[in-house]
Amino acid sequence: MIKLTDLLKEVDDKPTCPIATQNVAVNLKNRQIAIDRYGYGPLNPNNPNIKFWKEKAEAWKLDTMEEAKSARCNSCAAFNITQRILNCIEKGLAAGEKEVPVQEQEIDSAPEEETTNTEQDAWDTIEAGKLGYCTMHKFKCAGSRTCNSWVTGGPVKDK
Ligand code: SF4
């Protein structure tokens, strides 16, 4: 079984940027997997998203949606916002996340998911700012979203 501490160490030990911060196709693929398998969302965290938060509260066996809303990426132990990772994200965005060689170990082995340009634009627009890197599902995630894999104790920051 892979431990979260091992995943975090893996990111810290690597001198290069995670591939998903530099390659939009990899990022979209891994994000779609997080949406489909782990309930990553909601699309627009600024909306009430009652159905979304109600389902999370039920899944986590919580009393209220407010409790579920307190468990977001920005407080997850897999959410990496160290300066090194933020520099990687900035570098990738500045370069337009050009296609770069993909290392197999950086990509989940799930089948390719279709993401339309419109969907991509919506997610990316809403994601502007407050981004970090999810070391568990290997994609750039927004601090105000969440997923079923949320782990207490984050985010990962510089000491
Ligand atoms: S594992 Fe944590 S950081 Fe990654 S998407 Fe889920 S809640 Fe966000």
Side-chain angles (χ1 to χ4, degrees):
M1 189 172 87
I2 299 171
K3 292 180 181 169
L4 179 59
T5 49
D6 294 337
L7 286 171
L8 298 176
K9 191 169 184 311
E10 182 184 292
V11 169
D12 286 343
D13 287 351
K14 281 187 181 172
T16 55
C17 291
I19 194 76
T21 65
Q22 309 300 304
N23 185 308
V24 69
V26 173
N27 190 65
L28 288 175
K29 181 176 181 179
N30 291 351
R31 185 179 66 187
Q32 193 62 45
I33 291 167
I35 293 168
D36 295 340
R37 292 187 187 171
Y38 308 109
Y40 176 67
L43 174 63
N44 185 349
N46 293 324
N47 289 341
N49 300 298
I50 292 171
K51 182 171 180 282
F52 178 89
W53 291 113
K54 196 173 175 193
E55 285 175 0
K56 285 285 179 277
E58 287 169 2
W60 289 328
K61 303 193 187 318
L62 302 172
D63 293 330
T64 66
M65 286 194 299
E66 293 313 307
E67 284 181 82
K69 288 178 183 176
S70 71
R72 300 187 191 239
C73 292
N74 60 19
S75 62
C76 175
F79 191 62
N80 189 316
I81 51 170
T82 59
Q83 194 57 55
R84 185 179 81 77
I85 288 295
L86 294 180
N87 288 345
C88 286
I89 292 173
E90 184 182 12
K91 182 178 154 197
L93 291 172
E97 295 178 293
K98 291 176 185 139
E99 295 294 323
V100 294
V102 175
Q103 298 166 357
E104 283 301 317
Q105 67 271 21
E106 293 283 358
I107 305 175
D108 195 299
S109 58
E112 190 90 34
E113 300 283 348
E114 288 287 325
T115 304
T116 67
N117 284 340
T118 305
E119 285 170 335
Q120 178 186 333
D121 290 347
W123 283 82
D124 288 347
T125 300
I126 294 160
E127 274 178 359
K130 297 178 184 167
L131 287 174
Y133 179 72
C134 174
T135 51
M136 195 178 300
H137 300 309
K138 297 183 168 54
F139 73 109
K140 293 180 299 179
C141 60
S144 53
R145 295 202 181 106
T146 192
C147 88
N148 298 343
S149 310
W150 183 86
V151 184
T152 188
V156 178
K157 299 188 284 192
D158 293 310
K159 300 196 168 66

Short mmCIF file of all heavy atoms in Angstrom, two decimals, residues 19-20 22-32 96-100 102 107 112-113 115 120:
data_model
loop_
_atom_site.label_atom_id
_atom_site.label_comp_id
_atom_site.label_asym_id
_atom_site.label_seq_id
_atom_site.Cartn_x
_atom_site.Cartn_y
_atom_site.Cartn_z
N ILE A 19 5.15 16.33 -13.93
CA ILE A 19 4.79 16.45 -15.34
C ILE A 19 3.45 17.15 -15.55
O ILE A 19 3.27 17.91 -16.51
CB ILE A 19 4.80 15.05 -16.02
CG1 ILE A 19 4.77 15.19 -17.53
CG2 ILE A 19 3.67 14.18 -15.53
CD1 ILE A 19 6.07 15.59 -18.12
N ALA A 20 2.51 16.95 -14.64
CA ALA A 20 1.18 17.57 -14.82
C ALA A 20 1.23 19.09 -14.71
O ALA A 20 0.33 19.77 -15.18
CB ALA A 20 0.20 17.00 -13.80
N GLN A 22 3.45 20.79 -16.20
CA GLN A 22 4.07 21.25 -17.44
C GLN A 22 3.35 20.75 -18.68
O GLN A 22 3.63 21.20 -19.79
CB GLN A 22 5.54 20.78 -17.51
CG GLN A 22 6.35 21.10 -16.28
CD GLN A 22 6.42 22.60 -16.00
OE1 GLN A 22 6.84 23.38 -16.87
NE2 GLN A 22 6.00 23.02 -14.82
N ASN A 23 2.46 19.82 -18.52
CA ASN A 23 1.81 19.20 -19.67
C ASN A 23 0.31 19.19 -19.46
O ASN A 23 -0.21 18.48 -18.59
CB ASN A 23 2.34 17.77 -19.84
CG ASN A 23 1.81 17.09 -21.09
OD1 ASN A 23 0.60 17.07 -21.32
ND2 ASN A 23 2.70 16.57 -21.90
N VAL A 24 -0.40 20.00 -20.23
CA VAL A 24 -1.84 20.17 -20.02
C VAL A 24 -2.61 18.88 -20.24
O VAL A 24 -3.59 18.60 -19.54
CB VAL A 24 -2.39 21.32 -20.89
CG1 VAL A 24 -2.36 20.96 -22.36
CG2 VAL A 24 -3.79 21.71 -20.45
N ALA A 25 -2.15 18.06 -21.18
CA ALA A 25 -2.87 16.81 -21.46
C ALA A 25 -2.81 15.87 -20.27
O ALA A 25 -3.81 15.24 -19.90
CB ALA A 25 -2.28 16.14 -22.70
N VAL A 26 -1.65 15.79 -19.66
CA VAL A 26 -1.50 14.93 -18.48
C VAL A 26 -2.34 15.48 -17.32
O VAL A 26 -3.02 14.75 -16.62
CB VAL A 26 -0.01 14.83 -18.07
CG1 VAL A 26 0.13 14.10 -16.74
CG2 VAL A 26 0.78 14.14 -19.16
N ASN A 27 -2.29 16.81 -17.17
CA ASN A 27 -3.06 17.42 -16.08
C ASN A 27 -4.56 17.15 -16.25
O ASN A 27 -5.25 16.78 -15.30
CB ASN A 27 -2.79 18.92 -16.03
CG ASN A 27 -3.37 19.55 -14.79
OD1 ASN A 27 -2.96 19.26 -13.67
ND2 ASN A 27 -4.37 20.39 -14.97
N LEU A 28 -5.04 17.33 -17.47
CA LEU A 28 -6.47 17.13 -17.72
C LEU A 28 -6.87 15.67 -17.52
O LEU A 28 -7.93 15.37 -16.98
CB LEU A 28 -6.83 17.56 -19.15
CG LEU A 28 -6.83 19.07 -19.39
CD1 LEU A 28 -7.07 19.36 -20.86
CD2 LEU A 28 -7.87 19.76 -18.54
N LYS A 29 -6.01 14.78 -17.97
CA LYS A 29 -6.31 13.36 -17.83
C LYS A 29 -6.41 12.97 -16.35
O LYS A 29 -7.37 12.32 -15.92
CB LYS A 29 -5.23 12.53 -18.52
CG LYS A 29 -5.48 11.04 -18.43
CD LYS A 29 -4.42 10.28 -19.21
CE LYS A 29 -4.69 8.79 -19.15
NZ LYS A 29 -3.71 8.02 -19.92
N ASN A 30 -5.42 13.40 -15.58
CA ASN A 30 -5.42 13.05 -14.16
C ASN A 30 -6.55 13.74 -13.41
O ASN A 30 -7.14 13.17 -12.49
CB ASN A 30 -4.07 13.39 -13.54
CG ASN A 30 -2.97 12.48 -14.06
OD1 ASN A 30 -3.24 11.50 -14.74
ND2 ASN A 30 -1.72 12.81 -13.76
N ARG A 31 -6.87 14.97 -13.83
CA ARG A 31 -7.98 15.68 -13.17
C ARG A 31 -9.31 14.99 -13.48
O ARG A 31 -10.16 14.84 -12.59
CB ARG A 31 -8.03 17.14 -13.64
CG ARG A 31 -9.10 17.94 -12.89
CD ARG A 31 -9.12 19.38 -13.32
NE ARG A 31 -9.55 19.52 -14.70
CZ ARG A 31 -9.54 20.65 -15.37
NH1 ARG A 31 -9.08 21.75 -14.80
NH2 ARG A 31 -9.95 20.71 -16.61
N GLN A 32 -9.48 14.54 -14.71
CA GLN A 32 -10.73 13.86 -15.06
C GLN A 32 -10.88 12.56 -14.27
O GLN A 32 -11.99 12.20 -13.85
CB GLN A 32 -10.76 13.57 -16.57
CG GLN A 32 -12.14 13.17 -17.08
CD GLN A 32 -13.17 14.28 -16.87
OE1 GLN A 32 -12.91 15.44 -17.15
NE2 GLN A 32 -14.34 13.93 -16.35
N GLY A 96 2.59 28.01 -21.53
CA GLY A 96 1.40 27.51 -22.20
C GLY A 96 1.27 26.02 -22.07
O GLY A 96 0.59 25.37 -22.84
N GLU A 97 1.94 25.45 -21.06
CA GLU A 97 1.90 24.00 -20.80
C GLU A 97 2.06 23.23 -22.09
O GLU A 97 1.24 22.42 -22.47
CB GLU A 97 0.61 23.63 -20.09
CG GLU A 97 0.52 24.23 -18.71
CD GLU A 97 -0.78 23.89 -18.03
OE1 GLU A 97 -1.81 24.36 -18.50
OE2 GLU A 97 -0.75 23.16 -17.05
N LYS A 98 3.19 23.51 -22.77
CA LYS A 98 3.45 22.82 -24.04
C LYS A 98 3.60 21.33 -23.83
O LYS A 98 3.92 20.87 -22.75
CB LYS A 98 4.73 23.39 -24.65
CG LYS A 98 4.56 24.82 -25.11
CD LYS A 98 5.88 25.37 -25.60
CE LYS A 98 5.71 26.84 -25.95
NZ LYS A 98 6.84 27.64 -25.53
N GLU A 99 3.39 20.61 -24.91
CA GLU A 99 3.55 19.16 -24.84
C GLU A 99 5.01 18.83 -24.58
O GLU A 99 5.91 19.33 -25.24
CB GLU A 99 3.12 18.52 -26.16
CG GLU A 99 1.65 18.69 -26.45
CD GLU A 99 0.77 17.95 -25.46
OE1 GLU A 99 1.14 16.85 -25.04
OE2 GLU A 99 -0.29 18.49 -25.10
N VAL A 100 5.25 18.04 -23.57
CA VAL A 100 6.60 17.59 -23.27
C VAL A 100 6.55 16.07 -23.11
O VAL A 100 5.49 15.51 -22.90
CB VAL A 100 7.13 18.23 -21.96
CG1 VAL A 100 7.31 19.72 -22.14
CG2 VAL A 100 6.22 17.92 -20.79
N VAL A 102 6.24 12.54 -21.88
CA VAL A 102 5.50 12.08 -20.70
C VAL A 102 6.20 10.87 -20.10
O VAL A 102 6.55 9.94 -20.79
CB VAL A 102 4.07 11.68 -21.12
CG1 VAL A 102 3.33 11.07 -19.94
CG2 VAL A 102 3.33 12.89 -21.65
N ILE A 107 1.59 9.12 -14.81
CA ILE A 107 0.22 9.09 -15.30
C ILE A 107 -0.51 7.88 -14.75
O ILE A 107 0.00 6.78 -14.75
CB ILE A 107 0.20 9.02 -16.84
CG1 ILE A 107 1.01 10.18 -17.40
CG2 ILE A 107 -1.22 9.07 -17.36
CD1 ILE A 107 1.13 10.11 -18.89
N GLU A 112 -8.11 6.83 -21.34
CA GLU A 112 -8.20 8.26 -21.67
C GLU A 112 -9.64 8.75 -21.54
O GLU A 112 -10.57 8.07 -21.95
CB GLU A 112 -7.75 8.45 -23.12
CG GLU A 112 -7.56 9.89 -23.51
CD GLU A 112 -6.14 10.36 -23.26
OE1 GLU A 112 -5.22 9.56 -23.40
OE2 GLU A 112 -5.98 11.52 -22.93
N GLU A 113 -9.81 9.89 -20.93
CA GLU A 113 -11.14 10.48 -20.80
C GLU A 113 -11.22 11.69 -21.72
O GLU A 113 -10.25 12.40 -21.90
CB GLU A 113 -11.38 10.96 -19.36
CG GLU A 113 -11.30 9.86 -18.33
CD GLU A 113 -12.54 8.98 -18.31
OE1 GLU A 113 -13.55 9.36 -18.93
OE2 GLU A 113 -12.48 7.92 -17.69
N THR A 115 -12.24 15.34 -22.59
CA THR A 115 -12.58 16.60 -21.97
C THR A 115 -12.68 17.64 -23.07
O THR A 115 -11.73 17.85 -23.80
CB THR A 115 -11.50 17.05 -20.96
OG1 THR A 115 -11.33 16.01 -20.01
CG2 THR A 115 -11.92 18.33 -20.26
N GLN A 120 -12.81 22.34 -20.42
CA GLN A 120 -11.47 22.70 -19.96
C GLN A 120 -11.39 24.18 -19.63
O GLN A 120 -10.87 24.58 -18.60
CB GLN A 120 -10.47 22.36 -21.07
CG GLN A 120 -9.04 22.75 -20.72
CD GLN A 120 -8.12 22.53 -21.90
OE1 GLN A 120 -8.37 21.70 -22.75
NE2 GLN A 120 -7.07 23.31 -21.96
#
